[in-house]
């Protein structure tokens, strides 16, 4: 399917034998578009009139009451743009996508077969550089999805004070249908297009893993970039999510799931959240349902389980597993890895309509799968007290409004799943500094602690055992510094969101967006770029 040109002017159209480049100006506001290739899975929970993914992102940004179809059940709240205090001129610039790259290129499958691959990269905002966002490999990728995700990345980075603009990329193909060598050729050719069109670089645009991609693909991207830029000493910083051996950072793999844990833990400690939910401020003993058991869902479930929560439900694409007595996260993960499904695991209840696991009673629901999983078709069946959005866009605007009207606490995606981009920022800093975190300071730290401990022992009249001494003087290693930085970032962002929600008398999603809009507006207006 050939992607349509959504915005032709002002802009540039460049055609080559292998690629089609479209660069669109941000000065022309774009209408809302539904995601073209919405699937059965992403439509199960939603009515036909509910907006698609990109439409939902734009709706959260600035929907007015007149934009809504009248329904008794809907509860309309002011959107972020309206209460942000930012001028209409700035808002129009912040909302529009800066530029979009759309490419098509041939890839050799075997000696007699070539196929045409479609790829995209959207840079939503370059108010800060580089732009930042993942690359997904999926046959459901389309231009509107990429633009929606790029918009979310802009707001996400601003919410957690990561100094990047937002971007996103995608290659339209099912990676499961290709061999490793074929995937490598596709990845390298896509990267070549990014290099040729100046859509990648440590100071320009820095991709990361997303659905269907991982450290292996990031290594291929980095190596391809180096071939085109052999003089760039900072080439490792052109992409994040790399293996440790290729310049990656320890802690990146679990970062998004850990950020989800930190964020929900912080909100549980807010007195107003405790009053709304009737829950105390402790993780221990809380019942949790996680929908989606990929990287994010697995690590989120693991951190909750390790800290005393009871994981009673886990959803996957084919079936869901449910046990009110709790599920062993590691055991079911091992079973799913070996068998390919939850079927046959222990004494859990197997739910054959997997999305319905979200409708079971629980304290905390964590949608960690796809967009549009909670909509008007199932929102009234959601019984969780807290919904923590680990996935991007898992809830439609009308569903959000309904749950807020019922006193539910919704911790939004642009805050809660920002752990990935936060630790990607740390990896980027590591690549630019060319030194592992802790390498310059760890032994100095330990030496200072050792001297202090010796004085304490002399005054106390007792020597510590070797094990006690090692535990006290231990200097921070890279993953511990990453965890610490992520925790501090999430605590600050949660508190800032809470303060804005109180000041504006609004929900947490709107508060987080207000913070993002105000920060972006400050950068663009103070730099003068809004008026060029």
């Amino acid at each position: 399917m050939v992607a349509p040109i959504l915005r032709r002017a002002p802009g540039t159209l460049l055609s080559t034998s292998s690629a089609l480049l479209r660069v669109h100006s941000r000065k022309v506001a774009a209408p809302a578009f539904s995601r073209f290739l919405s699937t059965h899975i992403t439509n199960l929970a939603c009515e036909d009139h509910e907006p698609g993914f990109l439409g939902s992102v734009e709706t959260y940004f600035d929907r007015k009451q007149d934009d809504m179809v009248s329904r008794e059940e809907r509860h309309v709240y002011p959107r972020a743009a309206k209460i942000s205090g930012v001028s209409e001129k700035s808002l129009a610039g912040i909302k529009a996508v800066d530029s979009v790259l759309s490419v098509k290129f041939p890839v050799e499958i075997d000696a007699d077969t070539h196929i045409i691959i479609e790829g995209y990269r959207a840079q939503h905002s370059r108010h800060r550089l580089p732009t930042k966002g993942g690359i997904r490999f999926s046959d459901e990728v389309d231009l509107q999805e990429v633009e929606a995700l790029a918009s979310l990345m802009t707001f996400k980075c601003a919410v957690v004070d990561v100094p990047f603009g937002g971007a996103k990329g995608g290659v339209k193909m099912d990676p499961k249908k290709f061999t490793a060598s074929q995937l490598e050729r596709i990845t390298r050719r896509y990267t070549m297009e990014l290099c040729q069109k100046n859509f990648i670089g440590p100071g320009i645009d820095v991709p990361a893993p997303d659905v269907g991609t991982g450290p292996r693909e990031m290594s291929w991207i980095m190596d391809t970039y180096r071939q085109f830029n052999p003089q760039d000493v900072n080439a490792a910083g052109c992409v994040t999510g790399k293996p440790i051996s290729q310049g990656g950072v320890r802690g990146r793999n679990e970062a998004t799931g850990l950020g989800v844990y930190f964020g929900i833990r912080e909100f549980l400690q807010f007195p107003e959240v405790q009053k709304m939910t009737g829950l105390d401020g402790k993780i221990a003993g809380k019942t949790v349902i996680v929908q989606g058991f990929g990287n994010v869902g697995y690590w989120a479930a693991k951190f909750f389980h390790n800290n005393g929560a009871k994981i009673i439900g886990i959803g996957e694409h084919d079936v869901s597993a449910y046990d009110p007595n709790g599920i062993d996260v590691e055991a079911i993960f091992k079973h799913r890895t070996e068998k390919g499904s939850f079927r046959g695991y222990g004494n859990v209840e197997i739910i054959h309509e997997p999305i319905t696991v979200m409708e079971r009673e629980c304290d905390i629901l964590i949608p960690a799968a796809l967009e549009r999983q909670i909509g008007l078709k199932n929102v009234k069946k959601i019984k969780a007290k807290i919904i923590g959005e680990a996935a991007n866009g898992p809830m439609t605007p009308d569903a959000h409004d309904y749950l807020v009207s019922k006193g539910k606490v919704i911790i939004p995606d642009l805050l809660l799943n920002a752990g990935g981009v936060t630790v990607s920022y740390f990896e980027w800093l590591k690549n630019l500094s060319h030194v592992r975190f802790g390498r310059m300071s760890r032994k100095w730290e330990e030496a200072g602690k050792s001297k202090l401990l010796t004085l304490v022992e002399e005054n106390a009249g007792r020597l510590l055992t070797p094990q006690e001494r090692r535990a006290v003087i231990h200097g921070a290693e890279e993953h511990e510094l990453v965890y610490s930085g992520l925790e501090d970032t999430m605590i600050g962002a949660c508190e800032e969101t809470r303060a804005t929600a109180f000041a504006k008398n609004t929900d947490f999603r709107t508060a987080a967006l207000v913070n993002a809009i105000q920060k972006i507006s400050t950068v663009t207006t103070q730099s003068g770029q809004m008026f060029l």
Side-chain angles (χ1 to χ4, degrees):
M1 174 180 171
V2 178
I5 299 177
L6 300 180
R7 296 185 287 281
R8 288 184 180 270
T12 303
L13 182 64
L14 174 65
S15 179
T16 69
S17 60
S18 63
L20 185 63
L21 169 65
R22 302 181 183 99
V23 180
H24 309 290
S25 168
R26 71 178 296 169
K27 296 181 181 179
V28 179
F33 290 90
S34 296
R35 187 169 184 261
F36 284 168
L37 299 178
S38 59
T39 64
H40 172 66
I41 295 175
T42 59
N43 286 330
L44 277 175
C46 303
E47 300 284 1
D48 292 341
H49 56 75
E50 291 188 87
F53 192 12
L54 178 58
S56 292
V57 174
E58 295 185 334
T59 295
Y60 286 131
F61 185 87
D62 66 355
R63 177 172 63 181
K64 310 295 191 298
Q65 186 159 356
D66 291 343
D67 296 332
M68 302 188 63
V69 178
S70 176
R71 285 177 66 94
E72 292 179 1
E73 296 87 352
R74 298 196 196 178
H75 301 262
V76 186
Y77 297 90
R79 294 302 174 191
K82 184 176 181 180
I83 63 174
S84 66
V86 172
S87 71
E88 289 294 330
K89 180 187 292 186
S90 292
L91 289 171
I94 292 169
K95 181 179 178 181
V97 177
D98 272 350
S99 55
V100 174
L101 174 70
S102 175
V103 297
K104 293 183 181 180
F105 50 85
V107 173
E108 182 182 281
I109 299 303
D110 54 47
D112 301 316
T113 308
H114 287 72
I115 62 171
I116 301 298
I117 297 290
E118 292 182 43
Y120 305 99
R121 186 72 180 172
Q123 296 174 348
H124 171 257
S125 178
R126 290 172 291 187
H127 72 288
R128 290 190 184 278
L129 289 175
T131 54
K132 188 82 182 74
I135 292 174
R136 60 176 52 185
F137 288 177
S138 168
D139 53 9
E140 303 301 335
V141 162
D142 63 54
L143 182 59
Q144 285 67 50
E145 178 189 55
V146 170
E147 289 192 14
L149 289 165
S151 302
L152 275 178
M153 282 301 302
T154 295
F155 303 136
K156 194 180 300 185
C157 290
V159 164
V160 292
D161 291 320
V162 168
F164 292 144
K168 208 72 177 185
V171 177
K172 183 175 166 48
M173 56 100 179
D174 183 354
K176 296 178 182 178
K177 296 180 179 178
F178 296 88
T179 66
S181 61
Q182 291 166 351
L183 282 173
E184 181 174 0
R185 287 198 292 276
I186 292 169
T187 303
R188 288 183 180 276
R189 182 56 191 267
Y190 172 72
T191 306
M192 184 179 78
E193 299 290 346
L194 298 180
C195 291
Q196 291 176 336
K197 310 305 188 300
N198 205 30
F199 266 70
I200 187 173
I204 299 170
D205 189 349
V206 180
D210 201 271
V211 175
T213 59
R216 178 185 65 177
E217 287 77 16
M218 300 307 106
S219 288
W220 294 336
I221 290 173
M222 181 185 69
D223 183 68
T224 306
Y225 176 82
R226 275 182 167 158
Q227 305 306 316
F228 278 83
N229 300 274
Q231 78 290 348
D232 189 349
V233 69
N234 294 319
C238 76
V239 66
T240 60
K242 304 179 293 294
I244 301 300
S245 61
Q246 301 298 317
V249 69
R250 292 161 182 84
R252 174 63 182 86
N253 191 43
E254 64 267 34
T256 307
L258 181 57
V260 169
Y261 168 76
F262 284 146
I264 294 176
R265 184 198 67 184
E266 288 307 301
F267 271 82
L268 267 176
Q269 296 177 38
F270 296 158
E272 62 271 32
V273 171
Q274 294 175 18
K275 183 178 179 180
M276 292 170 67
T277 62
L279 301 174
D280 61 33
K282 301 176 182 178
I283 291 292
K286 301 298 180 292
T287 55
V288 180
I289 292 176
V290 179
Q291 188 228 8
F293 207 47
N295 179 270
V296 178
Y298 163 72
W299 282 106
K302 183 178 174 69
F303 284 115
F304 274 97
H305 183 263
N306 290 349
N307 286 276
K310 186 188 294 186
I311 309 300
I312 63 173
I314 302 175
E316 259 289 60
H317 64 92
D318 55 344
V319 296
S320 293
Y322 178 80
D323 186 348
N325 297 314
I327 299 172
D328 187 319
V329 173
E330 280 302 314
I332 198 170
F333 177 78
K334 182 179 179 182
H335 177 87
R336 200 275 306 268
T337 302
E338 294 174 351
K339 306 295 184 182
S341 174
F342 293 152
R343 292 184 176 91
Y345 172 76
N347 296 318
V348 299
E349 176 189 348
I350 296 298
I351 302 173
H352 295 284
E353 293 184 37
I355 196 172
T356 61
V357 73
M358 295 192 295
E359 300 167 8
R360 300 294 179 96
E361 293 272 3
C362 65
D363 296 322
I364 301 167
L365 172 62
I366 303 175
L370 299 170
E371 70 268 17
R372 304 179 85 233
Q373 297 298 287
I374 301 177
L376 288 178
K377 286 183 180 178
N378 66 349
V379 66
K380 292 184 179 181
K381 300 175 184 177
I382 301 298
K383 302 177 181 68
K385 300 177 179 70
I386 295 176
I387 298 93
E389 295 184 337
N392 288 311
M395 188 181 302
T396 65
D398 294 322
H400 169 270
D401 289 349
Y402 178 83
L403 290 173
V404 169
S405 75
K406 297 300 180 182
K408 306 291 187 181
V409 174
I410 301 172
I411 310 175
D413 51 0
L414 72 161
L415 166 62
L416 197 62
N417 69 18
V421 73
T422 299
V423 177
S424 279
Y425 171 51
F426 298 160
E427 181 178 337
W428 181 74
L429 291 175
K430 174 185 178 180
N431 296 154
L432 297 188
S433 63
H434 300 273
V435 64
R436 168 175 50 83
F437 292 126
R439 182 171 184 176
M440 300 289 288
S441 60
R442 184 182 169 205
K443 287 300 178 183
W444 173 256
E445 232 181 277
E446 291 183 352
K449 289 180 180 179
S450 183
K451 291 176 182 178
L452 181 61
L453 197 57
T454 299
L455 291 174
V456 172
E457 287 176 325
E458 290 173 356
N459 285 304
R462 181 179 86 83
L463 296 179
L464 297 179
T465 66
Q467 293 83 359
E468 290 174 329
R469 190 175 186 86
R470 278 196 300 271
V472 173
I473 70 171
H474 172 73
E477 298 182 18
E478 183 171 75
H479 77 279
E480 294 167 321
L481 291 168
V482 166
Y483 281 16
S484 174
L486 174 58
E487 183 175 16
D488 183 63
T489 298
M490 294 304 296
I491 289 172
C494 289
E495 185 57 51
E496 189 176 50
T497 300
R498 175 200 187 194
T500 300
F502 178 79
K504 298 288 188 179
N505 190 29
T506 190
D507 61 272
F508 295 121
R509 186 193 308 280
T510 304
L513 261 174
V514 166
N515 288 337
I517 291 168
Q518 290 176 342
K519 291 175 185 179
I520 297 166
S521 176
T522 297
V523 172
T524 54
T525 55
Q526 288 184 351
S527 68
Q529 62 180 273
M530 185 60 66
F531 308 105
L532 295 178

